[in-house]
């Protein structure tokens, strides 16, 4: 099933099928972090993966990069199934896909200078002269807003969080990837700095034409950066479709709850948000039967506990997993 809102002339750049990631928990419990996830990302497209903390978003991003080994499923990048590659072949493919992590400071080596940090991907890849590497690093540092001569020999601890995230972006883009995975890239930053980093991401995307998997728990952040949104709950996809369609008329009750939890400029302090999400996410060691959201859904009925909902398509290019979409709409 292709979860794309636009016709793709060629196969998607990234195709994830039935991805499962499980871990061993305490007392031999099996933790199901990702359960049968499937989605596509087209060339040059930005897909936002959103959901509450603990739903499996970061695990999905790490599994796509093969930093986390999947229990089962496929991760097909540019027609190559990454789950079947040995370490040598995977290392070669990874030059075309890079990751930006949540904590911009701890993701940078504190012992290395900025120039060396940004240059490292090209040094590892090989095939470029020292002068060529130095020229490429200077160019990237200028693009992300630095004076190369002023920052080249400085260490990460000398920079703010926003500056470190710009260094991380330069390091990620130095190898000219076609897919960038951003795992909560602005959640650790101040709101004003978040806006600058998001604007920079858009400028870089226009300049380098890469696709992006943008992972976030904040729907208000992803609206302006994504082409499509995939909503995730307890390891499963609830809804996926064009960004504006998701925001204007969410079909799944979980998506509705997330959107109603967003504070708007007109929401005063102390205001109680009606119809927002209630309750806690169930344990990943023993998820609810049937629909995993049923324990927090006001529309839940007996069938929701008996069987898992199948995904259905809508006229506006969405896929929704719900037994009673007419009640939720």
């Amino acid at each position: 099933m292709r979860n794309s809102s636009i016709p793709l002339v060629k196969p998607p750049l990234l195709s994830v099928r039935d991805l499962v990631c499980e871990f061993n928990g305490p007392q031999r419990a099996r933790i199901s972090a990702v359960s049968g996830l499937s989605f596509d990302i087209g060339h040059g497209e930005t897909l936002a993966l959103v959901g509450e903390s603990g739903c499996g978003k970061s695990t999905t991003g790490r599994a796509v990069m093969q930093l986390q080994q999947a229990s089962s499923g496929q991760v097909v990048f540019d027609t190559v199934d990454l789950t079947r590659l040995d370490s040598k072949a995977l290392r070669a493919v990874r030059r075309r896909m890079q990751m930006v992590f949540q904590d911009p400071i701890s993701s940078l080596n504190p012992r290395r200078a900025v120039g060396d940090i940004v240059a490292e991907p090209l040094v590892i890849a090989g095939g470029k002269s020292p002068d060529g590497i130095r020229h490429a690093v200077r160019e990237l540092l200028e693009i992300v807003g630095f004076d190369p001569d002023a920052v080249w020999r400085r260490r990460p601890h000398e920079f703010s969080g926003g500056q470190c995230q710009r260094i991380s972006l330069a390091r990620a883009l130095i190898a000219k990837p076609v897919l960038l995975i951003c795992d909560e890239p602005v959640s650790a930053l101040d709101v004003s700095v978040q806006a600058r980093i998001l604007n920079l991401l858009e400028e870089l995307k226009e300049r380098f034409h890469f696709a992006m998997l943008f992972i976030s728990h904040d729907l208000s952040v992803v609206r302006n950066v994504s082409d499509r949104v995939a909503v995730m709950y307890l390891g499963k996809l609830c809804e996926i479709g064009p960004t504006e369609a998701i925001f204007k008329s969410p079909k799944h009750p979980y998506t509705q709850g997330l959107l109603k939890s967003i504070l708007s400029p007109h929401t005063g302090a102390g205001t109680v948000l009606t119809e927002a999400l209630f309750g806690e996410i169930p344990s990943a060691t023993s998820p609810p039967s049937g629909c995993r959201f049923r324990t927090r859904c006001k529309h839940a009925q007996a069938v929701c506990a008996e069987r898992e909902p199948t995904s259905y398509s809508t006229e506006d290019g969405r896929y929704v997993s719900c037994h009673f979409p007419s009640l939720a709409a």
Side-chain angles (χ1 to χ4, degrees), residues 104-125:
I105 297 177
S106 65
S107 65
L108 302 176
N109 189 332
R111 296 184 177 184
R112 306 199 69 182
V114 167
D116 295 329
I117 289 173
V118 178
E120 187 173 18
L122 291 183
V123 174
I124 294 174

Side-chain angles (χ1 to χ4, degrees), residues 17-327:
R17 287 293 172 270
D18 301 318
L19 184 68
V20 175
C21 295
E22 296 180 337
F23 307 94
N24 291 322
Q27 300 179 345
R28 297 184 179 181
R30 195 67 173 164
I31 299 174
S32 179
V34 179
S35 304
L37 215 63
S38 296
F39 61 86
D40 293 338
I41 299 179
H43 293 260
E45 182 185 33
T46 298
L47 174 69
L49 185 60
V50 301
E52 293 170 283
S53 297
C55 71
K57 305 183 303 295
S58 293
T59 301
T60 299
R62 293 176 66 86
V64 169
M65 281 291 297
Q66 298 297 291
L67 298 176
Q68 165 66 48
Q69 186 175 8
S71 303
S72 63
Q74 290 182 311
V75 178
V76 180
F77 174 69
D78 204 9
T79 72
V80 177
D81 187 354
L82 303 184
T83 63
R84 296 180 178 273
L85 298 181
D86 58 28
S87 58
K88 183 178 180 180
L90 182 60
R91 185 174 181 178
V93 173
R94 274 208 187 117
R95 298 172 189 174
R96 304 181 61 228
M97 51 195 302
Q98 294 291 322
M99 193 164 186
V100 177
F101 297 92
Q102 179 176 0
D103 189 338
I105 297 177
S106 65
S107 65
L108 302 176
N109 189 332
R111 296 184 177 184
R112 306 199 69 182
V114 167
D116 295 329
I117 289 173
V118 178
E120 187 173 18
L122 291 183
V123 174
I124 294 174
K128 209 173 184 68
S129 68
D131 287 343
I133 292 175
R134 186 175 182 84
H135 175 77
V137 172
R138 291 183 65 88
E139 182 180 36
L140 252 299
L141 287 173
E142 288 176 352
I143 289 173
V144 299
F146 288 112
D147 176 356
D149 294 324
V151 303
W152 194 278
R153 297 188 181 278
R154 294 170 64 186
R155 301 294 194 273
H157 72 272
E158 301 179 65
F159 297 90
S160 67
Q163 290 173 322
C164 283
Q165 199 61 292
R166 285 192 279 146
I167 295 169
S168 297
L169 284 170
R171 178 182 61 180
L173 296 175
I174 193 74
K176 297 183 178 178
V178 295
L179 175 65
L180 186 66
I181 300 175
C182 296
D183 185 10
E184 301 272 14
V186 296
S187 64
L189 306 177
D190 293 337
V191 175
S192 60
V193 180
Q194 286 184 13
R196 293 177 202 156
I197 295 298
L198 292 174
N199 289 336
L200 177 60
L201 264 175
E202 282 297 287
E203 294 171 9
L204 293 172
K205 189 170 182 290
E206 286 291 322
R207 186 180 190 120
F208 294 103
H209 309 292
F210 53 82
M212 185 160 56
L213 175 61
F214 190 94
I215 299 169
S216 177
H217 66 273
D218 189 345
L219 272 79
S220 61
V221 167
V222 307
R223 185 168 192 174
N224 295 322
V225 302
S226 62
D227 300 306
R228 290 188 301 136
V229 174
V231 183
M232 192 172 178
Y233 181 80
L234 201 61
K236 293 276 189 180
L237 278 186
C238 299
E239 184 170 0
I240 182 169
T243 301
E244 285 308 306
I246 294 287
F247 275 82
K248 288 181 179 178
S249 59
K251 299 294 185 185
H252 197 282
Y254 178 61
T255 310
Q256 293 180 352
L258 284 180
L259 289 172
K260 288 173 181 175
S261 297
I262 298 175
L263 291 174
S264 72
H266 306 292
T267 305
T271 300
V272 178
L273 298 174
T274 60
E275 299 186 55
L277 293 171
F278 63 89
E280 297 292 330
I281 299 178
S283 172
T285 59
S286 56
S289 61
C291 176
R292 295 192 174 185
F293 184 63
R294 66 177 176 82
T295 58
R296 302 172 69 190
C297 180
K298 65 180 181 179
H299 304 297
Q301 300 183 28
V303 67
C304 300
E306 295 169 1
R307 57 187 175 87
E308 186 176 337
T310 56
S311 182
Y312 77 95
S313 60
T314 65
E315 293 181 354
D316 55 4
R318 260 186 285 187
Y319 288 89
V320 186
S321 296
C322 183
H323 286 299
F324 303 102
S326 59
L327 295 178

